[in-house]
Amino acid sequence: VIGLNYDPMLAKLIVWAPTRELAIERMHRSLLELTIDGVETSRDFHLRLMEDPEFKAGDIDIQWLERKLPSLAAIEPPNDARLAAIIAAALFADRDRKHGAVMSSSVPASSPSSNGDHESDSWKRAGRAEGLH
């Protein structure tokens, strides 16, 4: 277990861009792609920071984080992050399985979802089939 005070010691993620806007976009994308296994991190919190309109606009001061912390901590992770976790879980489960019986027999290859996205729906079903909701 690594406490919150030591979370920054796991790794440093640094991005550079010629403008604040581009740097925030790069940091957001990098945080979405960041994977640290085995311990909880503050990654989702930092994602929410990058998504905050005041932060993006640079409309912050020394007490901004203190004022925003309750609302930032209450926000649910974005659906993109949840979908990425579902896909990753399904891929790991598929890799660890000796054969693809669950994928091939219980998940139709072209099961349409409400938004017409066949692939993401299949991965969600595969994750559920493996008990990885």
Side-chain angles (χ1 to χ4, degrees):
V1 175
I2 298 174
L4 185 59
N5 294 334
Y6 295 99
D7 181 58
M9 298 176 82
L10 288 175
K12 296 289 183 197
L13 177 59
I14 301 171
V15 300
W16 179 90
T19 67
R20 176 182 176 82
E21 182 180 322
L22 287 174
I24 289 171
E25 286 177 23
R26 284 184 180 173
M27 179 62 82
H28 188 266
R29 185 182 66 240
S30 297
L31 285 165
L32 283 173
E33 295 172 1
L34 177 69
T35 302
I36 298 176
D37 293 323
V39 294
E40 290 186 31
T41 69
S42 59
R43 175 190 163 269
D44 289 341
F45 173 76
H46 288 92
L47 274 169
R48 291 189 293 270
L49 280 177
M50 298 299 116
E51 295 165 356
D52 184 84
E54 289 176 7
F55 181 83
K56 283 181 169 181
D59 189 19
I60 58 176
D61 56 44
I62 195 78
Q63 282 120 9
W64 179 82
L65 186 55
E66 188 176 336
R67 284 193 311 271
K68 292 289 285 194
L69 191 56
S71 63
L72 288 171
I75 297 172
E76 287 288 319
N79 281 337
D80 290 347
R82 193 172 326 194
L83 180 58
I86 291 168
I87 291 169
L91 287 170
F92 282 124
D94 189 51
R95 181 198 67 191
D96 292 344
R97 236 182 282 126
K98 296 286 185 207
H99 53 86
V102 173
M103 273 297 278
S104 62
S105 66
S106 67
V107 181
S110 61
S111 57
S113 64
S114 59
N115 64 3
D117 186 355
H118 299 291
E119 275 188 35
S120 66
D121 194 54
S122 295
W123 285 112
K124 286 178 191 176
R125 291 179 192 272
R128 289 183 188 125
E130 292 294 316
L132 305 168
H133 331 281

mmCIF file of all heavy atoms in Angstrom, residues 88-118:
data_model
loop_
_atom_site.group_PDB
_atom_site.id
_atom_site.type_symbol
_atom_site.label_atom_id
_atom_site.label_comp_id
_atom_site.label_asym_id
_atom_site.label_seq_id
_atom_site.Cartn_x
_atom_site.Cartn_y
_atom_site.Cartn_z
ATOM 1 N N ALA A 88 -9.134 -3.097 -21.453
ATOM 2 C CA ALA A 88 -7.876 -3.646 -20.933
ATOM 3 C C ALA A 88 -8.134 -4.926 -20.149
ATOM 4 O O ALA A 88 -7.404 -5.915 -20.306
ATOM 5 C CB ALA A 88 -7.171 -2.617 -20.059
ATOM 6 N N ALA A 89 -9.171 -4.932 -19.318
ATOM 7 C CA ALA A 89 -9.486 -6.123 -18.533
ATOM 8 C C ALA A 89 -9.825 -7.297 -19.444
ATOM 9 O O ALA A 89 -9.379 -8.429 -19.220
ATOM 10 C CB ALA A 89 -10.648 -5.833 -17.581
ATOM 11 N N ALA A 90 -10.600 -7.019 -20.481
ATOM 12 C CA ALA A 90 -10.959 -8.087 -21.418
ATOM 13 C C ALA A 90 -9.725 -8.608 -22.152
ATOM 14 O O ALA A 90 -9.576 -9.822 -22.348
ATOM 15 C CB ALA A 90 -12.007 -7.587 -22.400
ATOM 16 N N LEU A 91 -8.836 -7.708 -22.538
ATOM 17 C CA LEU A 91 -7.618 -8.134 -23.235
ATOM 18 C C LEU A 91 -6.725 -8.985 -22.327
ATOM 19 O O LEU A 91 -6.185 -10.007 -22.757
ATOM 20 C CB LEU A 91 -6.841 -6.919 -23.749
ATOM 21 C CG LEU A 91 -7.460 -6.207 -24.943
ATOM 22 C CD1 LEU A 91 -6.739 -4.892 -25.211
ATOM 23 C CD2 LEU A 91 -7.431 -7.091 -26.172
ATOM 24 N N PHE A 92 -6.577 -8.554 -21.070
ATOM 25 C CA PHE A 92 -5.764 -9.341 -20.131
ATOM 26 C C PHE A 92 -6.390 -10.707 -19.875
ATOM 27 O O PHE A 92 -5.703 -11.725 -19.835
ATOM 28 C CB PHE A 92 -5.570 -8.606 -18.803
ATOM 29 C CG PHE A 92 -4.546 -7.525 -18.861
ATOM 30 C CD1 PHE A 92 -4.872 -6.231 -18.504
ATOM 31 C CD2 PHE A 92 -3.244 -7.785 -19.274
ATOM 32 C CE1 PHE A 92 -3.930 -5.215 -18.555
ATOM 33 C CE2 PHE A 92 -2.296 -6.784 -19.337
ATOM 34 C CZ PHE A 92 -2.632 -5.493 -18.975
ATOM 35 N N ALA A 93 -7.715 -10.722 -19.713
ATOM 36 C CA ALA A 93 -8.398 -11.997 -19.487
ATOM 37 C C ALA A 93 -8.239 -12.914 -20.688
ATOM 38 O O ALA A 93 -7.978 -14.118 -20.540
ATOM 39 C CB ALA A 93 -9.874 -11.750 -19.195
ATOM 40 N N ASP A 94 -8.362 -12.349 -21.872
ATOM 41 C CA ASP A 94 -8.211 -13.135 -23.091
ATOM 42 C C ASP A 94 -6.796 -13.689 -23.211
ATOM 43 O O ASP A 94 -6.589 -14.842 -23.583
ATOM 44 C CB ASP A 94 -8.567 -12.284 -24.307
ATOM 45 C CG ASP A 94 -8.652 -13.101 -25.587
ATOM 46 O OD1 ASP A 94 -9.359 -14.124 -25.589
ATOM 47 O OD2 ASP A 94 -7.991 -12.710 -26.565
ATOM 48 N N ARG A 95 -5.812 -12.855 -22.890
ATOM 49 C CA ARG A 95 -4.410 -13.283 -22.947
ATOM 50 C C ARG A 95 -4.144 -14.419 -21.959
ATOM 51 O O ARG A 95 -3.426 -15.363 -22.265
ATOM 52 C CB ARG A 95 -3.488 -12.101 -22.632
ATOM 53 C CG ARG A 95 -2.017 -12.459 -22.684
ATOM 54 C CD ARG A 95 -1.173 -11.454 -21.982
ATOM 55 N NE ARG A 95 -1.466 -11.520 -20.549
ATOM 56 C CZ ARG A 95 -1.050 -10.627 -19.676
ATOM 57 N NH1 ARG A 95 -0.355 -9.594 -20.066
ATOM 58 N NH2 ARG A 95 -1.343 -10.754 -18.406
ATOM 59 N N ASP A 96 -4.733 -14.297 -20.765
ATOM 60 C CA ASP A 96 -4.471 -15.284 -19.718
ATOM 61 C C ASP A 96 -5.229 -16.592 -19.915
ATOM 62 O O ASP A 96 -4.861 -17.622 -19.353
ATOM 63 C CB ASP A 96 -4.811 -14.696 -18.344
ATOM 64 C CG ASP A 96 -3.862 -13.578 -17.960
ATOM 65 O OD1 ASP A 96 -2.788 -13.463 -18.583
ATOM 66 O OD2 ASP A 96 -4.187 -12.813 -17.042
ATOM 67 N N ARG A 97 -6.274 -16.549 -20.687
ATOM 68 C CA ARG A 97 -7.038 -17.760 -20.964
ATOM 69 C C ARG A 97 -6.249 -18.695 -21.859
ATOM 70 O O ARG A 97 -5.545 -18.254 -22.762
ATOM 71 C CB ARG A 97 -8.332 -17.380 -21.678
ATOM 72 C CG ARG A 97 -9.543 -17.879 -20.959
ATOM 73 C CD ARG A 97 -10.804 -17.534 -21.701
ATOM 74 N NE ARG A 97 -11.140 -16.135 -21.477
ATOM 75 C CZ ARG A 97 -11.358 -15.254 -22.425
ATOM 76 N NH1 ARG A 97 -11.332 -15.592 -23.672
ATOM 77 N NH2 ARG A 97 -11.615 -14.021 -22.134
ATOM 78 N N LYS A 98 -6.336 -19.972 -21.639
ATOM 79 C CA LYS A 98 -5.637 -20.956 -22.475
ATOM 80 C C LYS A 98 -6.207 -20.983 -23.882
ATOM 81 O O LYS A 98 -5.498 -21.223 -24.837
ATOM 82 C CB LYS A 98 -5.738 -22.361 -21.865
ATOM 83 C CG LYS A 98 -5.063 -22.485 -20.534
ATOM 84 C CD LYS A 98 -3.568 -22.504 -20.708
ATOM 85 C CE LYS A 98 -2.919 -22.748 -19.373
ATOM 86 N NZ LYS A 98 -1.605 -22.218 -19.262
ATOM 87 N N HIS A 99 -7.505 -20.792 -23.992
ATOM 88 C CA HIS A 99 -8.156 -20.784 -25.297
ATOM 89 C C HIS A 99 -9.223 -19.701 -25.295
ATOM 90 O O HIS A 99 -9.588 -19.191 -24.256
ATOM 91 C CB HIS A 99 -8.762 -22.156 -25.641
ATOM 92 C CG HIS A 99 -9.674 -22.663 -24.572
ATOM 93 N ND1 HIS A 99 -10.991 -22.319 -24.527
ATOM 94 C CD2 HIS A 99 -9.449 -23.475 -23.516
ATOM 95 C CE1 HIS A 99 -11.545 -22.899 -23.475
ATOM 96 N NE2 HIS A 99 -10.639 -23.599 -22.848
ATOM 97 N N GLY A 100 -9.751 -19.350 -26.433
ATOM 98 C CA GLY A 100 -10.718 -18.259 -26.561
ATOM 99 C C GLY A 100 -12.154 -18.704 -26.474
ATOM 100 O O GLY A 100 -13.012 -18.117 -27.115
ATOM 101 N N ALA A 101 -12.462 -19.730 -25.675
ATOM 102 C CA ALA A 101 -13.819 -20.277 -25.637
ATOM 103 C C ALA A 101 -14.849 -19.244 -25.206
ATOM 104 O O ALA A 101 -15.922 -19.154 -25.788
ATOM 105 C CB ALA A 101 -13.873 -21.489 -24.707
ATOM 106 N N VAL A 102 -14.563 -18.452 -24.187
ATOM 107 C CA VAL A 102 -15.549 -17.488 -23.709
ATOM 108 C C VAL A 102 -15.801 -16.420 -24.763
ATOM 109 O O VAL A 102 -16.926 -16.081 -25.060
ATOM 110 C CB VAL A 102 -15.094 -16.840 -22.378
ATOM 111 C CG1 VAL A 102 -16.029 -15.712 -21.974
ATOM 112 C CG2 VAL A 102 -15.027 -17.890 -21.290
ATOM 113 N N MET A 103 -14.729 -15.891 -25.369
ATOM 114 C CA MET A 103 -14.883 -14.851 -26.386
ATOM 115 C C MET A 103 -15.664 -15.376 -27.585
ATOM 116 O O MET A 103 -16.565 -14.732 -28.061
ATOM 117 C CB MET A 103 -13.512 -14.365 -26.875
ATOM 118 C CG MET A 103 -12.917 -13.255 -26.057
ATOM 119 S SD MET A 103 -13.908 -11.765 -26.092
ATOM 120 C CE MET A 103 -13.345 -11.076 -27.630
ATOM 121 N N SER A 104 -15.319 -16.551 -28.064
ATOM 122 C CA SER A 104 -15.929 -17.033 -29.287
ATOM 123 C C SER A 104 -17.340 -17.558 -29.068
ATOM 124 O O SER A 104 -18.167 -17.478 -29.947
ATOM 125 C CB SER A 104 -15.053 -18.115 -29.922
ATOM 126 O OG SER A 104 -14.942 -19.211 -29.044
ATOM 127 N N SER A 105 -17.641 -18.091 -27.892
ATOM 128 C CA SER A 105 -18.953 -18.692 -27.716
ATOM 129 C C SER A 105 -19.977 -17.771 -27.072
ATOM 130 O O SER A 105 -21.144 -17.863 -27.382
ATOM 131 C CB SER A 105 -18.835 -19.969 -26.869
ATOM 132 O OG SER A 105 -18.418 -19.627 -25.564
ATOM 133 N N SER A 106 -19.568 -16.857 -26.178
ATOM 134 C CA SER A 106 -20.570 -16.072 -25.475
ATOM 135 C C SER A 106 -20.647 -14.627 -25.918
ATOM 136 O O SER A 106 -21.534 -13.914 -25.515
ATOM 137 C CB SER A 106 -20.320 -16.115 -23.967
ATOM 138 O OG SER A 106 -19.122 -15.437 -23.670
ATOM 139 N N VAL A 107 -19.744 -14.172 -26.748
ATOM 140 C CA VAL A 107 -19.767 -12.788 -27.186
ATOM 141 C C VAL A 107 -19.912 -12.746 -28.694
ATOM 142 O O VAL A 107 -18.991 -13.078 -29.412
ATOM 143 C CB VAL A 107 -18.472 -12.044 -26.766
ATOM 144 C CG1 VAL A 107 -18.556 -10.603 -27.211
ATOM 145 C CG2 VAL A 107 -18.256 -12.141 -25.278
ATOM 146 N N PRO A 108 -21.071 -12.363 -29.180
ATOM 147 C CA PRO A 108 -21.246 -12.287 -30.627
ATOM 148 C C PRO A 108 -20.287 -11.268 -31.228
ATOM 149 O O PRO A 108 -20.076 -10.216 -30.668
ATOM 150 C CB PRO A 108 -22.688 -11.832 -30.804
ATOM 151 C CG PRO A 108 -23.314 -11.800 -29.464
ATOM 152 C CD PRO A 108 -22.244 -11.974 -28.444
ATOM 153 N N ALA A 109 -19.725 -11.573 -32.362
ATOM 154 C CA ALA A 109 -18.735 -10.707 -33.000
ATOM 155 C C ALA A 109 -19.341 -9.381 -33.427
ATOM 156 O O ALA A 109 -18.669 -8.379 -33.462
ATOM 157 C CB ALA A 109 -18.126 -11.414 -34.206
ATOM 158 N N SER A 110 -20.615 -9.365 -33.758
ATOM 159 C CA SER A 110 -21.201 -8.111 -34.222
ATOM 160 C C SER A 110 -22.493 -7.801 -33.485
ATOM 161 O O SER A 110 -23.535 -7.651 -34.076
ATOM 162 C CB SER A 110 -21.454 -8.179 -35.719
ATOM 163 O OG SER A 110 -22.359 -9.222 -36.000
ATOM 164 N N SER A 111 -22.422 -7.754 -32.161
ATOM 165 C CA SER A 111 -23.606 -7.392 -31.396
ATOM 166 C C SER A 111 -23.682 -5.873 -31.311
ATOM 167 O O SER A 111 -22.813 -5.249 -30.755
ATOM 168 C CB SER A 111 -23.542 -8.006 -29.999
ATOM 169 O OG SER A 111 -22.369 -7.589 -29.354
ATOM 170 N N PRO A 112 -24.718 -5.264 -31.909
ATOM 171 C CA PRO A 112 -24.783 -3.802 -31.929
ATOM 172 C C PRO A 112 -25.105 -3.232 -30.563
ATOM 173 O O PRO A 112 -25.865 -3.809 -29.798
ATOM 174 C CB PRO A 112 -25.907 -3.505 -32.911
ATOM 175 C CG PRO A 112 -26.750 -4.719 -32.909
ATOM 176 C CD PRO A 112 -25.848 -5.877 -32.588
ATOM 177 N N SER A 113 -24.494 -2.108 -30.247
ATOM 178 C CA SER A 113 -24.821 -1.392 -29.020
ATOM 179 C C SER A 113 -25.760 -0.257 -29.381
ATOM 180 O O SER A 113 -26.059 -0.027 -30.551
ATOM 181 C CB SER A 113 -23.549 -0.859 -28.364
ATOM 182 O OG SER A 113 -22.942 0.085 -29.204
ATOM 183 N N SER A 114 -26.209 0.491 -28.398
ATOM 184 C CA SER A 114 -27.163 1.556 -28.651
ATOM 185 C C SER A 114 -26.585 2.626 -29.558
ATOM 186 O O SER A 114 -27.305 3.296 -30.264
ATOM 187 C CB SER A 114 -27.615 2.170 -27.329
ATOM 188 O OG SER A 114 -26.497 2.683 -26.633
ATOM 189 N N ASN A 115 -25.259 2.806 -29.555
ATOM 190 C CA ASN A 115 -24.665 3.826 -30.417
ATOM 191 C C ASN A 115 -24.063 3.220 -31.676
ATOM 192 O O ASN A 115 -23.365 3.904 -32.408
ATOM 193 C CB ASN A 115 -23.612 4.630 -29.648
ATOM 194 C CG ASN A 115 -22.430 3.781 -29.218
ATOM 195 O OD1 ASN A 115 -22.351 2.598 -29.531
ATOM 196 N ND2 ASN A 115 -21.518 4.394 -28.490
ATOM 197 N N GLY A 116 -24.316 1.933 -31.932
ATOM 198 C CA GLY A 116 -23.822 1.294 -33.136
ATOM 199 C C GLY A 116 -22.364 0.880 -33.064
ATOM 200 O O GLY A 116 -21.791 0.489 -34.061
ATOM 201 N N ASP A 117 -21.747 0.961 -31.910
ATOM 202 C CA ASP A 117 -20.333 0.628 -31.762
ATOM 203 C C ASP A 117 -20.207 -0.849 -31.416
ATOM 204 O O ASP A 117 -20.271 -1.250 -30.278
ATOM 205 C CB ASP A 117 -19.716 1.493 -30.661
ATOM 206 C CG ASP A 117 -18.214 1.318 -30.552
ATOM 207 O OD1 ASP A 117 -17.655 0.465 -31.262
ATOM 208 O OD2 ASP A 117 -17.612 2.040 -29.740
ATOM 209 N N HIS A 118 -20.029 -1.689 -32.441
ATOM 210 C CA HIS A 118 -19.991 -3.135 -32.254
ATOM 211 C C HIS A 118 -18.818 -3.577 -31.399
ATOM 212 O O HIS A 118 -18.964 -4.417 -30.530
ATOM 213 C CB HIS A 118 -19.925 -3.848 -33.607
ATOM 214 C CG HIS A 118 -21.112 -3.568 -34.471
ATOM 215 N ND1 HIS A 118 -22.356 -4.036 -34.177
ATOM 216 C CD2 HIS A 118 -21.233 -2.848 -35.612
ATOM 217 C CE1 HIS A 118 -23.202 -3.641 -35.102
ATOM 218 N NE2 HIS A 118 -22.557 -2.908 -35.985
#
